[in-house]
Amino acid sequence: MFTFLTIVVLGISAGLAQDANRPIVETTGGQVQGITASCGLFCSYFQFNGIPYAEPPVGDLRFRNPVPHGGWTGVRNASNHGENCPSLSVFSEYSGDEDCLFINVYTQNIIGSLPVMVWIHGGAFIAGSGGSRVYGPDFLVQENVVVVSFNYRLGILGYFSTGDSHAQGNWGMKDCVEALRWVRDNIAAFGGNPNDVTIFGESAGGAAVHYLVLSPMATGLFHRAIAQSGTALVPWGFQYNVAELSRNIADIFGYPHDSEELTRRLRSTPIANFIDLQRMPSDIPIPRGFKPFEFVPSAEPADSPEPTFLTQRPIEILRAGTFNHVPIIIGYNSIESLFMVREHFIDSTVWNEFTRNPQFFVPHYWNIPVGSEATGAVSQAFRDHYWQDQALTPDIMVEWCQFHSEQQFIYPIDKTVALTAKANTQPTYYYQFSFDGDLNLLKGLLRLSDYPGAAHADELPYLWSITNAPTSPVLPGNHALTVRQRMVRLWTNFAIRGNPTPNSDTDLQNINWAPVSGDDLAYLDIGHDLVTGSRPNHERLDVWKDLEERYANNPFYYPYQ
Ligand SMILES: *[C@@H]1O[C@H](CO)[C@@H](O)[C@H](O)[C@H]1NC(C)=O
């Protein structure tokens, strides 16, 4: 019987091994067998999905640094993506599985040494996954790069910290590092060059890319970086109050405050119970949409027991210039926060709060005393600048969204560019995506086409084939397809040569996207056309700069210097 089974198994393996559509690749963990996927007419590529890159972070491995995967015997079927990491759905349910640390490789050729692009998905550090139904690599793989995506721990499982040696935090960021180590050790077997790795990501994924640029733990694991609509300086991207947050968590669950005991109890708490975290109190009395996220990267204690990802605040590393100097592209969309445009219909109390209490216009992270003269001055300056001090009515919704965009994205990203370029010994490229067309993702999903500009996540379909979002078909001749070709070419040029517009390139309107040098922030506007300029949106951003310099008192936030 045993012999019979062995023969059958060997026979199947041998049969599959001969299948050119299902190649088998040898990895450090064992063999994986991919599938062939379509990228359009006469276009195909291989997908190797759901390869475990770390041990399942379960049981005693919850709230610990990822452990490289121990491997498997036989041929692992890499047809399907692995489970998503647990995340809270809009229906207040947890979906996904804690055994979620999987990586996916997409390549047209497993023989060769092509540049590699590793994607870090977004989702506010609490949601999302690297799967190809959201992030289909159809356009990228056709440009002679190997594309990689992966899952990393989210929410409390990704970022719980006691601020001391018992739970040092940044688990999700360390998953990213572990995934990059897997790429270093394995990508050659898939036709990729481990010495030519570009990391790129959007929103929380953009912030994660920037965190990897800041982290000594990630040094040498990548060679270029692209941060889209998120950096470590955004007010929603860094948790500086982990001790207080961990006490709040203890109170919600009725667990002791003692970090060791709290961590022990949380290690054995079923993930379904983490729904209770929705009752999280906020010590910052600011309206919905302006509150920072709880479970995001933080600074680990320098004497942490396990290797650290980050021990300083992002702003300190940026100002000291002690980050990983690599060619980098950083940018944002022109009206990121357009998703807030119906806020007063959805929750009318938000606008009432602002009307009653204009100090809500003062960025909380500037730490200006409530009720002070400075608070009044900052609030008035913003209201004057953005909507000429009109009352908050639907007439000024767009201007309010622009203010929100600056608060949450554009101002801190602009500052990141300035500080990065100052110290970076490699080129720093700056862009604004402003194209308003038929592929814009969020505007399509939320039916925002009446409003001009590009909202958060709108650029994603210009890089990825997104098949799980209900978008209207775009017909040949639509300018959105041209913009997509340009964007894909800029990004892959950068991944291949470290320069998005190398001189030899003539099919991108012959533009030269120059890196930032000095204070005159050169940038590329990716709109209907590609247009170069300097100091994007400076009329608005100068107002922010000036107010921050004059009034901010914060140990956590610094002016441009
Ligand atoms: C691999 O998984 C896919 C999807 O579940 C399945 O259709 C296929 O038969 C599996 N192949 C092998 C060799 O097990």
Side-chain angles (χ1 to χ4, degrees):
M1 187 61 184
F2 173 75
T3 314
F4 173 70
L5 268 182
T6 309
I7 289 167
V8 169
V9 169
L10 286 175
I12 289 172
S13 305
L16 291 173
Q18 286 158 13
D19 187 347
N21 290 321
R22 296 216 51 199
I24 294 179
V25 167
E26 187 82 40
T27 74
T28 45
Q31 293 182 313
V32 290
Q33 183 164 33
I35 55 170
T36 298
S38 169
C39 39
L41 203 58
F42 307 119
C43 178
S44 68
Y45 68 103
F46 300 119
Q47 290 192 346
F48 297 85
N49 295 323
I51 307 170
Y53 65 87
E55 284 293 308
V58 301
D60 192 53
L61 291 183
R62 189 189 273 181
F63 310 134
R64 289 204 202 279
N65 286 8
V67 175
H69 198 271
W72 54 91
T73 52
V75 181
R76 193 181 161 95
N77 186 352
S79 296
N80 291 341
H81 293 288
E83 284 281 352
N84 294 354
C85 291
S87 69
L88 206 53
S89 77
V90 285
F91 308 109
S92 291
E93 278 167 359
Y94 261 100
S95 61
D97 193 290
E98 262 191 289
D99 180 1
C100 63
L101 300 184
F102 298 102
I103 196 163
N104 316 302
V105 181
Y106 312 123
T107 179
Q108 283 197 320
N109 198 339
I110 57 172
I111 315 286
S113 190
L114 293 178
V116 182
M117 296 185 77
V118 182
W119 175 250
I120 306 183
H121 72 77
F125 297 107
I126 52 166
S129 72
S132 62
R133 278 182 308 141
V134 191
Y135 302 110
D138 305 29
F139 319 120
L140 295 169
V141 289
Q142 294 182 58
E143 298 287 329
N144 291 317
V145 292
V146 173
V147 178
V148 174
S149 67
F150 64 93
N151 299 342
Y152 55 91
R153 279 174 276 179
L154 304 167
I156 186 171
L157 297 168
Y159 297 97
F160 173 67
S161 166
T162 51
D164 58 24
S165 61
H166 298 293
Q168 63 193 72
N170 291 335
W171 322 111
M173 287 298 103
K174 291 163 184 170
D175 293 342
C176 297
V177 172
E178 196 57 45
L180 290 175
R181 289 179 181 143
W182 186 93
V183 168
R184 176 194 61 197
D185 297 341
N186 288 287
I187 207 65
F190 296 88
N193 181 355
N195 298 313
D196 208 350
V197 175
T198 298
I199 53 174
F200 67 136
E202 184 266 347
S203 192
V209 162
H210 188 226
Y211 273 110
L212 290 160
V213 168
L214 299 181
S215 172
M217 191 183 241
T219 302
L221 293 174
F222 62 93
H223 312 93
R224 316 184 214 288
I226 306 175
Q228 303 169 212
S229 301
T231 72
L233 290 194
V234 294
W236 45 267
F238 182 70
Q239 177 56 263
Y240 48 78
N241 218 348
V242 284
E244 182 168 343
L245 180 62
S246 91
R247 283 193 297 276
N248 287 343
I249 295 167
D251 291 343
I252 287 167
F253 289 102
Y255 293 163
H257 284 184
D258 175 74
S259 337
E260 184 169 11
E261 181 61 10
L262 173 62
T263 306
R264 205 181 61 77
R265 298 270 196 109
L266 286 174
R267 275 208 178 98
S268 55
T269 299
I271 54 167
N273 295 11
F274 288 138
I275 284 174
D276 293 344
L277 293 171
Q278 287 181 127
R279 292 189 279 114
M280 188 80 75
S282 175
D283 55 323
I284 306 172
I286 50 178
R288 206 165 79 106
F290 287 80
K291 281 188 183 127
F293 302 146
E294 277 99 8
F295 297 110
V296 297
S298 59
E300 294 161 66
D303 61 348
S304 293
E306 292 196 83
T308 53
F309 175 81
L310 189 82
T311 55
Q312 288 173 285
R313 297 183 189 121
I315 189 73
E316 290 168 358
I317 303 170
L318 264 176
R319 293 184 90 204
T322 52
F323 51 87
N324 297 308
H325 291 193
V326 292
I328 187 168
I329 295 177
I330 302 172
Y332 52 75
N333 297 354
S334 59
I335 181 156
E336 295 270 3
S337 303
L338 202 56
F339 54 82
M340 296 287 284
V341 79
R342 300 203 183 93
E343 186 65 11
H344 74 291
F345 295 125
I346 300 166
D347 180 357
S348 58
T349 64
V350 170
W351 275 23
N352 292 340
E353 280 178 68
F354 277 101
T355 305
R356 257 201 321 274
N357 202 347
Q359 87 162 59
F360 287 142
F361 289 115
V362 180
H364 62 89
Y365 47 80
W366 284 355
N367 194 26
I368 304 176
V370 175
S372 64
E373 220 169 284
T375 292
V378 171
S379 164
Q380 191 63 50
F382 282 138
R383 285 177 287 155
D384 286 345
H385 187 78
Y386 281 89
W387 50 87
Q388 295 74 51
D389 202 24
Q390 296 171 66
L392 280 176
T393 68
D395 293 344
I396 58 142
M397 281 185 308
V398 172
E399 290 79 3
W400 190 74
C401 288
Q402 192 67 59
F403 167 78
H404 189 280
S405 305
E406 258 83 273
Q407 231 252 27
Q408 297 289 310
F409 301 96
I410 295 179
Y411 181 63
I413 291 172
D414 186 78
K415 186 192 282 188
T416 308
V417 171
L419 290 171
T420 301
K422 187 155 279 182
N424 199 1
T425 51
Q426 298 292 319
T428 302
Y429 297 95
Y430 189 8
Y431 76 90
Q432 167 177 260
F433 182 89
S434 63
F435 184 59
D436 182 0
D438 290 332
L439 285 169
N440 287 39
L441 182 66
L442 208 76
K443 291 185 83 172
L445 292 176
L446 302 182
R447 305 196 182 284
L448 298 173
S449 53
D450 288 350
Y451 306 101
H456 197 56
D458 265 357
E459 87 283 21
L460 290 174
Y462 296 89
L463 289 173
W464 299 101
S465 166
I466 299 180
T467 50
N468 76 339
T471 45
S472 38
V474 172
L475 300 175
N478 190 311
H479 191 68
L481 299 176
T482 304
V483 174
R484 186 166 74 194
Q485 276 171 356
R486 289 174 182 161
M487 183 113 177
V488 166
R489 184 60 57 83
L490 290 167
W491 262 227
T492 53
N493 274 346
F494 178 73
I496 294 166
R497 315 198 204 174
N499 179 350
T501 53
N503 291 335
S504 60
D505 218 307
T506 50
D507 50 353
L508 285 169
Q509 293 181 227
N510 262 327
I511 52 130
N512 175 32
W513 179 3
V516 172
S517 72
D519 292 333
D520 203 32
L521 303 182
Y523 80 107
L524 178 71
D525 186 83
I526 304 172
H528 183 277
D529 297 310
L530 300 176
V531 179
T532 55
S534 69
R535 300 178 61 221
N537 306 308
H538 66 91
E539 308 83 1
R540 304 196 312 262
L541 295 178
D542 283 350
V543 173
W544 284 77
K545 237 162 141 168
D546 174 57
L547 291 173
E548 185 178 46
E549 271 166 21
R550 272 201 281 168
Y551 298 111
N553 302 303
N554 197 306
F556 307 116
Y557 234 72
Y558 296 86
Y560 292 62
Q561 260 170 30

